[in-house]
Amino acid sequence: MATTVRRSTLTLPAAPLGQENPLPALVPLDEAHTVEDRDRAALPPDMARQVGYEPLRTVLPTRLLDGYGRKRVPTDLDTLVIENDRLRATVLPGLGGRIHSLHHKPTGRELLYSNPVFQPACFALNGAWFSGGVEWNIGATGHTTLSCAPVHAARVPAPDGSGEMLRLWEWERLRDTPFQVDLWLPDGSDFLHVGVRIRNPHDRPVPVYWWSNIAVPEDERTRVLVPAEETWYFAYEGRLRNVPVPEWEGVDRTYPARGDFPADYFYEVPRAARKWIAALDGEGRGLVQTSTDLLSGRKLFVWGRGPGGRRWQQWLTKPGTPGYAEIQAGLARTQLEHVALPAGEEFAWLEAYGPLAADPGTVHGADWAAARAHTADRLESALPRADVEAAFAAWRPYADTEPEGPRLATGSGWGALEAARGGHHLPGTPFDADTLGPDQEPWTELLRTGVLPAPAKVLPPGPAPVSREWRELLEAAQPTAPAGTELDYHLGVAQWAAGDRSQAVRSWERALTHDDDWPALRCLAVADLQEGNTVRAAQRYLAAFQDAREESREGGPWTAAMAAL
């Protein structure tokens, strides 16, 4: 059976995602993960540098998704299905391109934890996130802002000539980096191949973050195996410590169900070792993920058996559903690090996902070295390391191949806007002008005329880019009444995103000289709160609410704006 790609639908009990929050996210939703000074001094030099490299200050220019609910109703979700005679992968293009299911036909086994519901929760950098499947995390430390966002999708010829390849692509806005994810199934293969590429089209380095998060079923006998004897342990007390694998403090931590509390285990995989991680059940069967060496990090996340972890698992799915753990693969050793991608360069690698069967006695034996060596041997038999390298080499020329036929799904218009501004030509990932929408219209006009137009309707301010290049365009823009408040307001947001808070405050104060000044009042209230001026912050919040209430209309963005205020 040649590999095919087709559209389909999946019906799940789904909670509403809600509207975007139109108030700019000037401060992060949660405290950023940081490493204490006492721990940083003990880190390897390269890890210490990357931990301190370009941490995220805000999630601008993305918007918060905090309007989701908990009342679930049967909902049809668009899917893209790629399959051969061995595997069937189901992808959700409207939800970050996540792989919802990976079904192994010969054994009838589901290799992933496939969530039977869609239930958003506040885990993404910008709010809404859901559990299950394989998630592509790009941007900065945390779950991507694209977790619940659409991506572009189309068919592309597969590298080995065995059929079709599914390409997903989008423009990641936190770091202004376009990326693509290519999925294909070689003829007769039990392994889904995934080629990933992140590009930097700019004239400066950009910080890059990537982790592929793989949800796998968890029970008392599930063991996670990885070629490592040490791990960097990070939990909610905020400390990063090097601890042994598999046993620490009298507990074998390679069994996810044996930990008490939510925790991250970032494994110290030897540089020359093959990069892989597996989750195998009591019978020695389960899923293995491997990759080319650039994707060098491996991690286990556990919720723990304590009441908090158990409660979160129940909250994210439905009663009676088995628990899950996450095995992950990333560009760095830990998720606290960002990696510099030089100007004009790209990162590219290949991942493979498939079933693995090993001897349960050895897998669950007391000899950790024997368990991981046996698992590595079984992986080498199922998918040799040389075959992964060869598949990567075969894919690389196809990464630039332009998609064929109509798009299978359409993402945002922000990539098209950035391509127009920077004159970027990105073979293989077309950000076409026909994807530009109402959110991009005023910014297209600013590019064309040097004037930011006044909104045609009385609405809360729309989303805006905040990069250095857009900030310079706003600084040079011609103020025109009645658009002056829009110009100063958006300039202030861009200045705040750049860390220039004093200039941002001055821009928002200028916006107060115009009508409809509640957006600037709210931003000034946030600035006051950050400075500890709680009395003035409260006064400005109240004034913003009263002003917005006078301006507001029924429904749509106004409902979200008033709720957020």
Side-chain angles (χ1 to χ4, degrees):
M1 175 183 176
T3 300
T4 60
V5 176
R6 58 183 170 85
R7 286 193 178 100
S8 188
T9 56
L10 173 70
T11 303
L12 292 179
L17 188 58
Q19 298 184 70
E20 287 185 336
N21 184 331
L23 307 184
L26 300 180
V27 294
L29 276 178
D30 200 356
E31 181 182 349
H33 290 319
T34 57
V35 179
E36 295 184 9
D37 289 340
R38 59 177 171 169
D39 295 331
R40 187 173 297 197
L43 299 180
D46 60 333
M47 184 186 293
R49 285 193 302 271
Q50 291 180 167
V51 164
Y53 176 54
E54 294 289 343
L56 203 65
R57 290 187 294 262
T58 79
V59 295
L60 292 170
T62 63
R63 288 186 152 191
L64 299 184
L65 285 171
D66 55 6
Y68 50 85
R70 285 198 55 76
K71 184 178 180 181
R72 303 171 191 156
V73 297
T75 304
D76 290 338
L77 302 177
D78 290 333
T79 64
L80 298 172
V81 178
I82 177 170
E83 66 179 315
N84 65 2
D85 57 348
R86 310 289 294 178
L87 281 175
R88 179 172 63 248
T90 302
V91 176
L92 301 173
L95 296 168
R98 186 177 305 205
I99 301 176
H100 174 75
S101 167
L102 187 60
H103 178 79
H104 187 233
K105 295 180 179 181
T107 60
R109 290 172 64 91
E110 173 57 51
L111 300 179
L112 303 173
Y113 167 75
S114 183
N115 198 334
V117 305
F118 172 73
Q119 177 57 64
C122 190
F123 283 104
L125 287 166
N126 63 334
W129 173 88
F130 64 106
S131 64
V134 181
E135 175 187 13
W136 317 114
N137 279 297
I138 182 173
T141 299
H143 289 284
T144 177
T145 60
L146 296 169
S147 293
C148 294
V151 297
H152 302 286
R155 294 181 178 90
V156 181
D160 58 2
S162 62
E164 298 174 323
M165 180 165 65
L166 172 61
R167 174 161 299 162
L168 311 171
W169 74 98
E170 191 42 283
W171 193 282
E172 199 287 310
R173 301 184 69 205
L174 293 181
R175 306 300 197 181
D176 269 337
T177 47
F179 72 99
Q180 71 189 77
V181 178
D182 288 353
L183 302 95
W184 77 101
L185 293 162
D187 190 26
S189 177
D190 281 327
F191 283 82
L192 175 68
H193 285 40
V194 181
V196 182
R197 177 166 64 165
I198 304 171
R199 288 189 272 196
N200 177 9
H202 307 293
D203 59 1
R204 62 186 185 280
V206 295
V208 167
Y209 171 94
W210 181 281
W211 283 81
S212 301
N213 285 18
I214 309 145
V216 290
E218 171 208 82
D219 61 27
E220 294 297 327
R221 297 295 310 281
T222 300
R223 191 177 204 187
V224 172
L225 298 108
V226 63
E229 296 180 350
E230 300 174 88
T231 185
W232 295 92
Y233 169 80
F234 187 83
Y236 282 85
E237 69 270 22
R239 297 200 61 197
L240 185 63
R241 289 173 281 173
N242 187 260
V243 302
V245 178
E247 188 171 308
W248 178 51
E249 294 184 339
V251 178
D252 188 332
R253 307 286 172 166
T254 61
Y255 288 88
R258 295 183 184 179
D260 287 328
F261 305 108
D264 299 328
Y265 298 90
F266 301 105
Y267 294 106
E268 189 72 50
V269 179
R271 186 178 299 273
R274 183 177 184 180
K275 308 304 185 286
W276 60 269
I277 189 167
L280 305 181
D281 63 16
E283 299 176 348
R285 299 194 300 175
L287 175 119
V288 65
Q289 186 268 4
T290 187
S291 71
T292 48
D293 286 353
L294 182 66
L295 198 70
S296 57
R298 291 298 184 275
K299 173 196 166 183
L300 165 65
F301 167 75
V302 300
W303 280 110
R305 63 186 177 187
R310 293 298 97 186
R311 182 59 178 154
W312 267 116
Q313 295 232 40
Q314 295 165 11
W315 205 93
L316 289 164
T317 184
K318 67 180 184 180
T321 303
Y324 76 95
E326 289 180 2
I327 57 175
Q328 304 181 16
L331 282 174
R333 275 179 285 189
T334 75
Q335 289 175 333
L336 305 176
E337 302 169 67
H338 299 101
V339 182
L341 178 56
E345 300 291 325
E346 65 183 40
F347 288 147
W349 65 90
L350 184 125
E351 304 180 47
Y353 298 77
L356 195 69
D359 174 62
T362 307
V363 165
H364 297 283
D367 188 335
W368 171 244
R372 67 175 192 265
H374 171 67
T375 307
D377 288 344
R378 296 300 302 143
L379 170 60
E380 186 66 19
S381 297
L383 183 64
R385 186 178 188 178
D387 288 1
V388 174
E389 297 291 344
F392 176 61
W395 167 71
R396 290 295 282 132
Y398 284 77
D400 283 347
T401 302
E402 297 297 340
E404 294 183 337
R407 291 203 182 159
L408 299 172
T410 302
S412 77
W414 296 111
L417 182 69
E418 292 299 331
R421 183 204 56 75
H424 304 309
H425 176 60
L426 299 164
T429 54
F431 294 99
D432 297 328
D434 62 5
T435 62
L436 293 166
D439 285 345
Q440 292 82 41
E441 283 180 5
W443 306 99
T444 302
E445 185 71 9
L446 176 62
L447 273 180
R448 191 177 64 85
T449 66
V451 174
L452 186 69
K457 298 179 181 179
V458 180
L459 292 171
V466 298
S467 67
R468 181 192 68 190
E469 293 83 2
W470 285 105
R471 189 170 71 253
E472 291 172 352
L473 285 168
L474 286 169
E475 289 169 346
Q478 298 298 315
T480 57
T485 185
E486 287 275 323
L487 178 59
D488 287 326
Y489 165 78
H490 285 303
L491 178 57
V493 173
Q495 290 165 334
W496 183 277
D500 193 349
R501 295 190 172 187
S502 59
Q503 287 294 339
V505 167
R506 292 189 185 96
S507 294
W508 291 327
E509 287 174 341
R510 285 197 306 272
L512 296 183
T513 63
H514 306 282
D515 294 331
D516 306 330
D517 57 6
W518 69 265
L521 275 169
R522 179 263 173 182
C523 290
L524 288 168
V526 174
D528 286 334
L529 202 57
Q530 293 294 296
E531 293 296 321
N533 193 339
T534 55
V535 172
R536 191 167 67 180
Q539 292 169 344
R540 280 173 161 168
Y541 271 125
L542 180 59
F545 180 78
Q546 291 171 337
D547 186 47
R549 184 171 58 184
E550 293 175 2
E551 293 293 330
S552 65
R553 306 290 190 269
E554 290 294 327
W558 281 111
T559 300
M562 297 308 295
L565 281 171

